[in-house]
Amino acid sequence: MALLEVNDLQVNYGLIRAVKGVSFKVEQGEIVALIGANGAGKTTIMHAINGIIPKAGGNVVFDGNDITATPAHKLVGMGLAQVPEGRRIFGELSVFDNLKLGYYCKNDAKHFNEKLEEMYTHFPILKERSRQIAGTLSGGEQQMLAMSRALMSDPKLLLLDEPSMGLSPLYVSNVFEIIKQVNKLGTTVLLVEQNAKMALSIANHAYVLEIGNISASGTGAELLGNESIQKAYLGG
Amino acid sequence: MNFLVTLINGLSLGGVYALIALGYTMVYGIAKMLNFAHGDIIMVGGYTVLVALGTSGKPIFTVIACVAAIVVCCILGVTIEKVAYKPLRGASPLAVLITAIGVSYFLEGLAQIFFGTNAKFVKIAEMGILHIGGLSIGWDTVITLLVSAAIMAALTLFVKMTKTGRAMVAVSEDKAAASLMGVNVNAIITVTFAIGSILAAVASIFYLMRYPTLNNTMGAMPGIKAFTAAVIGGIGSIPGAMIGGIVLGIIECVFNSTPLAPYTVAIEFAILIVLLLVRPNGILGKKRREKV
Ligand SMILES: Nc1ncnc2c1ncn2[C@@H]1O[C@H](COP(=O)(O)OP(=O)(O)OP(=O)(O)O)[C@@H](O)[C@H]1O
Ligand SMILES: [Mg+2]
């Protein structure tokens, strides 16, 4: 059974249907990419999976449990973490306190320290800045913090909504390296990205979203080689 | 010498305002609403003290009365949130404000039914005068000052050091992101109302020690002044509410000791208006970003 199964998901904003019956699967151990133009509904799908916005129809099964109606705050404890679009770090708290909040669902001082060290190894700058108020970090540093914060809970499935946003090219490849590494260590990844080329190059599977519907799917390599997809999303 | 006494007196009254202001500011910061009924919690605390004291003058009843006020106010604050405000989560701020005003009138009406409109005199405890270094200060003033300072210190530590405190800051910043961390936002809102109401109960005890008359609108004046204090400090900011309360208490006592005494309240609100012209977000206030 797939780790995440989204069946006929529908989401409305008022009278507007933003997601019109989307189905896809994320198998255990995979990296799955969701690509699409601005406004296609990618963030809406991520938030609906996580229960931050209500679903108008369909269901979501995670790790064998129907989580369609599960409140958002219970999911991270079940192993589903998200790096939301726009980072959404807690700007008034220190870097360290943000990481502590990433571990909020758990209670194990020793394991916490291990995870903390792991994050500091991924992103040494966060260790340097651990006492700094997070709101004063640079945009790229905030993105690293958002990613570390989500990884602190040791999730089975990590939802990433544009993790490369606002990062310089060097850090973009750094972040993608870390995604691959995290995945190798056993975390399944669902990735939304504007940087479709990068996303497809690391994805086992990918889905193309077009105004609320899935218009194409395949392995990352297949979609990378697909001519119409190259035209629409890969800049050539 | 006289000025020093006035200053200590002002700090003490400021401590009371700060305790009340904290309730306004924490609820505003976390539930994003003005709890108009907060002042009436003070009134309910006052009547609880009155009933619990009974006619006995024994000191043990003073302690029982204080504990009873804290328990009753805490339960009342949490219940009001559950019954009146929670169903309106996500409704327009105006609807929530009108509801809060309704709760306020409801509580005042209820008190009127049970206790009538005549003011009651409440003597919480017989306290002497402290003579120290040539100064004479009422023990009630000293105790108010010390206890409110201790409570504020404890609250600051709680917010900074505990898991729940961190979750409160997270919820005040970004509810959705906090819930992604596993924070149960509704539970945090409940905790916030509980803390705010407990602080109001303590404030009601100190307020009655200073002004021992009790009627069903006695919460209005300290409520509106503490709200002013919260706005002066920057609504939503915990240290802001403390500073605002203390500033207001000192201003009040200083002007009350001059021939301008009859105009003290007018002066306090004038200072609020001027301050808001200069610093629209209050002393420690920050501009807030609202997100889904
Ligand atoms: N809160 C909202 N109220 C109304 N409409 C919304 C809301 N949020 C999103 N939408 C609309 O829903 C559609 C999908 O938005 P969504 O944010 O999911 O797109 P996206 O694929 O993540 O785009 P991007 O790549 O720009 O992040 C858009 O047309 C958007 O305008
Ligand atoms: Mg998006």
Side-chain angles (χ1 to χ4, degrees), chain B residues 20 26 28 80 85 108 125 177 206 248 261 265 269 271 282:
Chain B
I20 307 167
M26 289 170 71
Y28 180 85
I80 290 173
Y85 303 151
E108 287 174 18
F206 292 147
L248 202 67
V265 176
F269 287 108
I271 288 172

Side-chain angles (χ1 to χ4, degrees), chain A residues 137-149:
Chain A
L137 292 175
S138 80
E141 288 163 355
Q142 291 187 12
Q143 188 68 59
M144 296 176 216
L145 177 58
M147 179 123 169
S148 307
R149 186 182 64 176

Side-chain angles (χ1 to χ4, degrees), chain A:
Chain A
M1 187 195 284
L3 183 61
L4 180 76
E5 249 178 73
V6 175
N7 302 309
D8 195 28
L9 178 68
Q10 295 150 42
V11 183
N12 297 342
Y13 288 117
L15 294 174
I16 297 166
R17 173 143 297 189
V19 176
K20 308 167 180 169
V22 163
S23 304
F24 63 92
K25 278 182 194 181
V26 180
E27 297 290 343
Q28 177 81 48
E30 279 189 336
I31 297 180
V32 171
L34 197 57
I35 62 172
N38 291 123
K42 306 178 297 291
T43 299
T44 305
I45 291 174
M46 296 295 235
H47 284 345
I49 292 173
N50 257 121
I52 290 177
I53 52 176
K55 305 162 189 72
N59 67 50
V60 181
V61 179
F62 171 66
D63 203 15
N65 300 305
D66 188 323
I67 59 161
T68 312
T70 307
H73 69 268
K74 294 212 170 128
L75 293 173
V76 62
M78 295 168 72
L80 179 56
Q82 185 180 150
V83 178
E85 183 179 56
R87 314 189 264 264
R88 313 272 288 256
I89 54 145
F90 302 109
E92 289 167 32
L93 292 171
S94 70
V95 168
F96 179 74
D97 280 344
N98 269 272
L99 294 173
K100 275 206 135 169
L101 275 161
Y103 202 75
Y104 187 84
C105 63
K106 297 191 170 173
N107 232 333
D108 176 348
K110 189 163 163 275
H111 185 232
F112 169 79
N113 284 326
E114 284 166 22
K115 294 309 291 180
L116 191 65
E117 274 317 306
E118 198 180 314
M119 296 313 136
Y120 286 163
T121 318
H122 285 323
F123 303 107
I125 186 79
L126 295 182
K127 185 171 192 173
E128 245 171 73
R129 301 297 167 92
S130 71
R131 296 281 149 212
Q132 191 170 326
I133 295 302
T136 63
L137 292 175
S138 80
E141 288 163 355
Q142 291 187 12
Q143 188 68 59
M144 296 176 216
L145 177 58
M147 179 123 169
S148 307
R149 186 182 64 176
L151 285 171
M152 283 300 290
S153 63
D154 219 353
K156 291 178 192 154
L157 175 63
L158 181 62
L159 306 186
L160 293 167
D161 197 341
E162 309 207 13
S164 73
M165 192 164 62
L167 294 180
S168 63
L170 184 67
Y171 269 114
V172 172
S173 32
N174 189 7
V175 160
F176 276 88
E177 271 316 308
I178 286 163
I179 295 171
K180 277 199 275 187
Q181 203 176 322
V182 165
N183 177 249
K184 266 211 196 75
L185 292 172
T187 301
T188 307
V189 175
L190 174 59
L191 172 66
V192 161
E193 254 299 335
Q194 285 300 330
N195 194 334
K197 194 178 259 171
M198 276 287 216
L200 291 178
S201 69
I202 66 166
N204 304 97
H205 242 92
Y207 296 86
V208 179
L209 198 66
E210 225 167 84
I211 34 179
N213 287 301
I214 285 178
S215 62
S217 68
T219 65
E222 275 166 16
L223 292 186
L224 263 182
N226 180 314
E227 208 171 299
S228 62
I229 287 179
Q230 281 178 355
K231 275 221 179 73
Y233 303 106
L234 303 174

